Amino acid sequence: MGPDWYCDEVIPGRVAVEVLAKTGRTLAFRPPIPGFGTDHVIVIPTLHVTSLLDLDDDLAVELLGTVKEVAALAVEQHGGCQVLTTLGSEQHNRHLHWHVAVGEGVARFVAR
Ligand SMILES: [Zn+2]
């Protein structure tokens, strides 16, 4: 998996993924190798955007709409989910992507 697996493989259709939702500029899919959780969906812009910090407001609305669609499905099917994106040293793939994840293996925020 290269530094931008989404632009290199997913968006051009070089790898088969299960598409859950899409718009003109966004795509939500289950990765072929489960990332984490019992259900895990990735949501990306289909134009290259490096991270949340580089996302323009217009595309942000469209992208969050797709995140919302798959998150609603996860809540309906599993009762809850986590929605997260990573930045800087925490971001291993240099293409903005949101995780919508359910179940074990998802980060847990512990109340202090
Ligand atoms: Zn990219």
Side-chain angles (χ1 to χ4, degrees):
M1 199 180 287
D4 188 349
W5 182 65
Y6 304 114
C7 274
D8 295 343
E9 304 285 337
V10 176
I11 296 164
R14 292 195 187 104
V15 62
V17 294
E18 182 190 352
V19 174
L20 295 189
K22 62 179 173 180
T23 66
R25 295 182 296 172
T26 72
L27 180 68
F29 63 94
R30 285 198 177 92
I33 301 166
F36 56 84
T38 55
D39 193 11
H40 180 207
V41 177
I42 299 279
V43 185
I44 57 171
T46 53
L47 304 169
H48 182 78
V49 176
T50 304
S51 82
L52 179 63
L53 302 181
D54 305 297
L55 181 63
D56 73 55
D57 292 350
D58 182 53
L59 184 53
V61 170
E62 189 172 331
L63 190 59
L64 201 57
T66 304
V67 169
K68 188 175 161 183
E69 190 179 331
V70 295
L73 200 63
V75 170
E76 187 185 309
Q77 292 177 340
H78 304 284
C81 68
Q82 285 199 0
V83 174
L84 65 98
T85 189
T86 52
L87 296 157
S89 62
E90 298 284 332
Q91 184 183 359
H92 302 297
N93 189 316
R94 297 294 174 183
H95 183 112
L96 170 62
H97 57 287
W98 292 82
H99 300 270
V100 178
V102 172
E104 293 303 314
V106 177
R108 293 287 171 214
F109 299 98
V110 180
R112 292 171 204 249

